[in-house]
Amino acid sequence: MEFMYLIIVVFLLILAVFDLFAGVSNDAVNFMNSAIGAKVARFKTIMAVAALGVLVGALMSSGMMDVARNGILQPASYTFHEVMIVFLAVMVSDVIILDVFNSLGMPTSTTVSLVFELLGATFILALIKMAGDASLTFDMLLNSDKALSVTVAIFVSVAVAFFFGVIVQWLARLIFTFNYKKNLRYTIGIFGGVAFTFLSYFIFIKGLKGSPFVPEDTRSWINANTPLLLSAIFAASTLIMQLLHAIRVNVFKIIVLMGTFALAMAFASNDLVNFIGIPLAGLDSYLDFTANGNGNADSFLMTSLMSSAKTPLLYLTIAGVIMIVAMATSKKAQNVVKTSVDLSRQDEGDEMFGSSKAARSIVRATQDANSTIMRYIPKSIIGWIDRRFCKEEVILADGAAFDVIRASVNLVLAATLIVIGTNYKLPLSTTYVTFMVAMGSSLADRAWSRESAVFRVTGVLSVIGGWFITGGAAFAVGAIICAVMYFGGFVAMLIAIGVVIYIFIRSNVKAEDKSKADKGNDVFRLMMRTRDPEIVWDLLQKHVSRTQSFVNRFAFEQYNKILDGLARESVSTLNHCHRELKNEQEQLKKFRRKELLAFRRVPVSIAVERNTWYHLGVNSDEQFIYCLKRMLEPIKEHVDNNFNPLPKLYVDEFAPIRQSVAELMQRTDNMLASCKFEGYEQVLVDADAVKDELSLIRKRHYDRMQNDHDDKNLKISLVYLNIIQETQEFLSIMRHQLRAGSRFFGNL
C-alpha cells in the first residue's frame, strides 16, 4: 500500500520538474517582454538579469506554499488517502488543461488553473464526504473565505492593472512626450528616483522580510525605520540618476533592466507555488504518514498540513536553477514575438486576431464617448495634449515594438502590483497583471489607431475570455478527475498517470512541428522591423514569391489527391483534402493581411504600380482553393455514398491531361520561386493547348453520355464531366497567376 503512495509522490515530483520547464517556457516573456520589446540590451544580457531575479525570487517564495497546503482545503478534515487523491487530481488536471489550451492556441494562466483545479477537486470531495457524514459542513472541509479572496484577487487584478496602466502611462507620456530625449533635463532624476524607490521597496524591504538569510533583529530594524530608508533611497537614487544622465547614460535602460529583475523575482516568488507547491505538499504528507500513520491511510488525518510550509532552501534553490535552465534553453522563452508585445506595439503590423462584433461595438462606443467629451474641453488644451502625444516623433531602437518610457512604466507598475499580492499571500497571476498593464499603457500611448483598434480589442477580449474559460474548465476537470480517482482507486490513478505521460510525449512532438512552421514568419518579421522602403520591397517580393510558389505546389498536390481519392474510392483521403483546403484558405487570409501591411512600407511609386498585379495574384491563389473545393464536393459525395467507381476508360483518357497539367504547374512554380519569367508566354500558349484538348474530351464525353442509355453510369459520368470542367478552370487560374506574377515581379 505504501509503495503505491510512494509512486504517486515520485510522479508528483517529476511533474513538478516538467511544470517548471513548461511554466517558465510559457511565462518567461511576462517579465522579459518589455525589455525585449524596447530593445534595451542584448538578449543574453536581458536573460542574465531575468535569471538572477528568478533565483532570488525562488529563494523568497516559501510563504506562498501555504496556498497549496491549506489555502483551499482544510487538511485536518481529510485523511492521507483523500489528500493524495486531491493532489494527484490537481496535477493531472493541470497537465490536461494546459495541453488542451496550448493545442487550441488559447491563452491560459498557471495560477488560475492551479487555484481552480484545487478548488474543483476539494469541492467534489467535500460533497462526497458530506453525503457520507451529515455532521460535516463546507466550512469544515473547504476554506471558502480564502478561496473567495484568492479568486477575487486574481480577477480584480485584471481591472486594477489595466486602470493603472492607462493612468500612469498617460501621465508619463504627458511629461516626457514621444521625443523624450529633449524633456529629460529636470525630470529624469525625479522619475528615476521614484522608479528606483518603488522597486527597491518591494525588492529589498518587502522581499527581504520573508528571506531566511536576514536575521530577525535586522528585519525588526527595517520595519521600524522604513520611512527613513525610503527617504534616503529616494534622495540618493534621484541624485545618482541625474548624474548618470549628465554623463549620457540612458537611465531608462537601467530602470527597465532593474524592473526586469524585479518582475522576474516577483514571478518566481509568486508563481513557484503553481509548479512545486502541490508536489511538495504531497511529499510532506507522505513523510508524515510514514512516520506517524501506522499504515492507516484511510483514517490518518493530515493535521500537519495546517502548519505553515517550511520549504527547505535546497528545494527552492533546485527549483530556481531548473527555471533558469528552462529560460536559457527553451525555444518558447527565446521567441520574442509574443501576444502581449504584438498587441501593444506602437506601429501597425500583422494583427494576430480578427475583428469581432463585441470589439467593433466597444470601439464605436469609445469613439462616440471620446467625441462627446472633446466638445467640452477647450481646444487649446486638446492641442497641447496632442502635441505631447505626437507619435511621428517617437524614438524607437531598431526593431523595437515600443520605446523605453513605456517599457519602464510596464515593468515598474507590474512588479509593484505583483509583489504587493505576493506579500499579502494572494497568488496574483503574473500573466494577467503584466498583460493588462501592457494593454493599458499601449492604449494610453495611442498605439491602438483607428486602423488597428478593433483587432487589438478583439485580441484583449479573446485573452480575457480565455482566462475565464480556464477557471471554469480547471474547476470542472479537477472535480471530475478527483471523483474518478476516488471511486476508481489505484487503478484509476495509474491510468491517469499513463494519460499524462502520453500527453507529454504528444505535446513535445507537436511543439517541434510548430517550431518548424514558425520559421516561415522570418521574412515578415524583417519587413516589419526595417524602416528602409527599398529593403521592405525586396523582402515583400521574397514573401510573395514564397507564398505563391507554395500555393501553386499545394494546389497541384491537392488536385492529384482528389483524383486519386476518387480512383481508389478513399473517403479518408478526400476528408483530408477537405481539411487541408479549409486550413489553407485561412492561411491565405493571414498572408494577404501581412503582405498588405508591408505594402504600406514600400516606396509609393512601386506600391501604386504593382498593386493591381499583386491583388490579381492573390485572387488567383484563392481561386485555386475555390476550384478544388468545387471539384472535391461532388467527388466526396459520390465516394461517401459508394456509387459506381470511375471506369478505367475515363482514367486512361484523362491520364495524358494529368501529365500535361503536372508539367505546366511545375514550370509555373519554377518561375514564381525564382522570380524569373523568361519564356512565360510559351507556358500560356501550352496551357491554352491543353484547355483545347480538354474541350475535345468534354465534347467526346457529352456524346458518350447521350449514347449511353444505362442510368447506372449517369452519376459517375456527371462527376467526370465536373472534373473536366474544373480542370479547365484550374488551368485558367494558373495562367492568371503566372501573368500576374510576371508583372508584379518586374516584367511590366
Side-chain angles (χ1 to χ4, degrees):
M1 183 71 70
E2 288 190 12
F3 179 72
M4 289 301 302
Y5 291 117
L6 178 61
I7 292 177
I8 293 173
V9 170
V10 171
F11 184 69
L12 290 176
L13 294 174
I14 293 174
L15 282 183
V17 176
F18 280 108
D19 255 11
L20 284 169
F21 268 93
V24 174
S25 297
N26 290 323
D27 294 350
V29 75
N30 293 336
F31 48 84
M32 294 197 297
N33 58 9
S34 291
I36 293 173
K39 299 287 185 181
V40 298
R42 293 183 304 170
F43 183 81
K44 290 183 179 179
T45 303
I46 297 171
M47 181 69 72
V49 172
L52 181 61
V54 165
L55 183 60
V56 174
L59 297 176
M60 297 181 180
S61 66
S62 58
M64 289 298 296
M65 297 301 169
D66 291 347
V67 175
R69 293 166 62 90
N70 51 46
I72 303 297
L73 59 80
Q74 297 277 23
S77 300
Y78 292 90
T79 66
F80 171 68
H81 178 71
E82 292 167 342
V83 165
M84 294 305 291
I85 289 176
V86 170
F87 290 159
L88 182 59
V90 169
M91 294 304 291
V92 170
S93 303
D94 199 52
V95 172
I96 294 174
I97 289 292
L98 293 179
D99 180 73
V100 169
F101 276 77
N102 288 337
S103 299
L104 295 174
M106 296 182 66
T108 186
S109 165
T110 52
T111 302
V112 170
S113 60
L114 171 83
V115 170
F116 280 90
E117 286 153 4
L118 191 55
L119 187 60
T122 306
F123 177 79
I124 196 67
L125 193 56
L127 290 180
I128 295 172
K129 289 177 68 68
M130 289 167 60
D133 187 350
S135 63
L136 294 175
T137 63
F138 265 120
D139 289 338
M140 298 171 61
L141 301 170
L142 183 66
N143 193 346
S144 55
D145 291 339
K146 183 64 174 180
L148 180 62
S149 67
V150 168
T151 304
V152 170
I154 288 174
F155 289 107
V156 167
S157 66
V158 173
V160 171
F162 184 79
F163 174 79
F164 281 103
V166 172
I167 298 301
V168 175
Q169 178 60 33
W170 190 83
L171 293 173
R173 188 62 68 192
L174 200 65
I175 294 171
F176 293 107
T177 75
F178 282 100
N179 189 10
Y180 62 87
K181 289 186 177 180
K182 68 178 184 180
N183 296 294
L184 299 181
R185 185 173 182 182
Y186 301 109
T187 56
I188 186 60
I190 297 175
F191 180 84
V194 170
F196 191 88
T197 302
F198 268 95
L199 293 173
S200 299
Y201 174 69
F202 290 108
I203 291 174
F204 300 112
I205 298 179
K206 282 291 186 181
L208 290 176
K209 182 179 179 180
S211 174
F213 303 108
V214 180
E216 183 61 35
D217 56 344
T218 303
R219 282 185 237 171
S220 301
W221 186 88
I222 291 175
N223 289 334
N225 296 276
T226 296
L228 177 63
L229 285 172
L230 291 178
S231 300
I233 290 172
F234 174 73
S237 59
T238 299
L239 179 60
I240 292 172
M241 295 298 176
Q242 195 69 46
L243 291 174
L244 289 174
H245 174 68
I247 60 175
R248 300 185 181 278
V249 174
N250 192 324
V251 172
F252 290 108
K253 290 186 177 182
I254 296 175
I255 295 172
V256 170
L257 290 175
M258 185 176 179
T260 300
F261 171 85
L263 202 55
M265 189 195 78
F267 163 79
S269 178
N270 190 72
D271 283 14
L272 189 60
V273 64
N274 301 339
F275 313 130
I276 68 172
I278 294 293
L280 290 182
L283 176 61
D284 288 345
S285 301
Y286 177 77
L287 294 176
D288 183 34
F289 169 70
T290 54
N292 306 305
N294 297 320
N296 299 318
D298 293 323
S299 60
F300 182 69
L301 298 177
M302 296 308 303
T303 55
S304 61
L305 293 181
M306 293 298 296
S307 61
S308 182
K310 295 179 176 61
T311 308
L313 185 61
L314 177 62
Y315 293 168
L316 297 176
T317 304
I318 292 174
V321 171
I322 292 174
M323 295 170 85
I324 292 172
V325 172
M327 285 171 52
T329 60
S330 171
K331 293 180 181 179
K332 290 182 180 179
Q334 296 174 16
N335 181 10
V336 298
V337 182
K338 296 291 183 180
T339 301
S340 56
V341 174
D342 198 55
L343 288 173
S344 60
R345 65 180 180 275
Q346 190 63 46
D347 56 355
E348 294 183 21
D350 177 36
E351 301 297 339
M352 297 177 60
F353 299 89
S355 173
S356 66
K357 185 176 181 180
R360 291 193 294 271
S361 299
I362 292 173
V363 171
R364 191 174 296 110
T366 303
Q367 289 174 346
D368 292 343
N370 182 66
S371 299
T372 302
I373 294 172
M374 290 297 103
R375 289 201 295 265
Y376 297 98
I377 299 178
K379 291 184 179 180
S380 58
I381 295 178
I382 295 175
W384 179 77
I385 293 175
D386 287 340
R387 288 192 296 273
R388 308 296 289 182
F389 281 82
C390 182
K391 292 192 290 185
E392 285 72 19
E393 298 179 353
V394 64
I395 299 174
L396 291 176
D398 185 29
F402 41 80
D403 67 359
V404 291
I405 301 291
R406 178 136 51 105
S408 302
V409 170
N410 287 348
L411 287 164
V412 173
L413 186 56
T416 300
L417 293 174
I418 292 170
V419 181
I420 286 175
T422 301
N423 282 281
Y424 282 101
K425 298 187 178 180
L426 297 174
L428 301 183
S429 170
T430 309
T431 303
Y432 289 18
V433 172
T434 55
F435 180 83
M436 294 310 296
V437 166
M439 293 305 99
S441 64
S442 64
L443 176 62
D445 242 1
R446 301 185 181 182
W448 299 3
S449 66
R450 291 181 69 105
E451 296 290 328
S452 63
V454 68
F455 302 116
R456 305 285 177 93
V457 174
T458 298
V460 173
L461 293 178
S462 299
V463 172
I464 295 175
W467 294 339
F468 282 96
I469 293 173
T470 300
F475 181 92
V477 173
I480 292 171
I481 293 179
C482 182
V484 170
M485 288 183 179
Y486 183 85
F487 293 107
F490 289 116
V491 174
M493 295 181 188
L494 291 175
I495 292 174
I497 292 174
V499 169
V500 169
I501 294 173
Y502 167 76
I503 289 174
F504 271 124
I505 295 174
R506 188 188 65 174
S507 295
N508 288 331
V509 172
K510 285 187 175 182
E512 288 295 325
D513 294 340
K514 187 176 184 299
S515 177
K516 293 177 182 178
D518 287 343
K519 292 181 180 178
N521 290 324
D522 291 344
V523 175
F524 175 72
R525 294 189 186 113
L526 288 173
M527 285 192 292
M528 291 296 101
R529 290 173 184 173
T530 184
R531 294 179 178 272
D532 188 329
E534 295 293 340
I535 295 177
V536 174
W537 170 238
D538 292 339
L539 293 172
L540 177 59
Q541 290 184 90
K542 184 177 180 180
H543 196 280
V544 173
S545 170
R546 178 186 295 177
T547 301
Q548 296 201 359
S549 175
F550 173 81
V551 172
N552 183 278
R553 294 193 303 273
F554 171 83
F556 183 63
E557 178 185 319
Q558 297 303 312
Y559 175 83
N560 280 330
K561 285 183 178 180
I562 291 171
L563 294 180
D564 291 339
L566 173 61
R568 296 196 303 264
E569 300 184 82
S570 173
V571 177
S572 61
T573 299
L574 297 174
N575 286 334
H576 181 73
C577 289
H578 179 76
R579 291 192 297 270
E580 289 291 310
L581 291 172
K582 183 178 179 180
N583 292 337
E584 184 60 21
Q585 194 170 21
E586 292 300 317
Q587 288 298 319
L588 285 177
K589 291 180 182 178
K590 295 179 181 179
F591 286 146
R592 185 171 195 163
R593 187 162 58 205
K594 289 179 179 180
E595 290 163 357
L596 285 175
L597 287 169
F599 238 116
R600 301 178 186 178
R601 295 169 173 258
V602 305
V604 176
S605 59
I606 294 178
V608 173
E609 186 179 0
R610 309 300 169 109
N611 181 65
T612 299
W613 301 109
Y614 166 75
H615 285 287
L616 286 175
V618 172
N619 290 341
S620 297
D621 294 342
E622 294 175 348
Q623 287 302 318
F624 270 132
I625 305 300
Y626 294 134
C627 176
L628 291 169
K629 282 186 172 182
R630 291 193 302 268
M631 182 186 295
L632 173 63
E633 287 174 4
I635 291 176
K636 187 171 179 292
E637 181 182 2
H638 188 88
V639 176
D640 270 341
N641 290 312
N642 294 308
F643 292 150
N644 288 334
L646 192 68
K648 188 175 185 302
L649 172 65
Y650 296 175
V651 175
D652 294 340
E653 180 182 63
F654 201 75
I657 296 296
R658 289 186 66 176
Q659 182 61 35
S660 298
V661 172
E663 292 174 358
L664 290 168
M665 294 294 284
Q666 181 62 55
R667 290 160 67 184
T668 302
D669 177 47
N670 291 339
M671 292 182 185
L672 291 171
S674 64
C675 299
K676 296 178 181 179
F677 294 85
E678 293 85 356
Y680 86 96
E681 295 89 350
Q682 186 59 47
V683 177
L684 302 183
V685 172
D686 293 343
D688 283 335
V690 177
K691 289 176 65 179
D692 291 340
E693 190 175 347
L694 280 165
S695 295
L696 294 175
I697 293 176
R698 182 175 58 184
K699 177 65 170 60
R700 189 186 312 148
H701 188 59
Y702 274 138
D703 295 339
R704 273 198 303 256
M705 293 176 66
Q706 289 175 349
N707 295 327
D708 190 356
H709 301 290
D710 190 351
D711 290 340
K712 68 179 183 180
N713 293 325
L714 179 61
K715 290 184 175 63
I716 190 60
S717 295
L718 291 173
V719 169
Y720 183 54
L721 179 62
N722 181 66
I723 291 173
I724 295 171
Q725 293 170 336
E726 293 301 338
T727 300
Q728 283 187 303
E729 180 62 22
F730 192 80
L731 290 173
S732 295
I733 296 168
M734 184 212 74
R735 293 180 80 258
H736 293 317
Q737 184 194 48
L738 182 59
R739 183 166 175 265
S742 69
R743 300 295 193 274
F744 177 79
F745 292 107
N747 298 328
L748 291 173

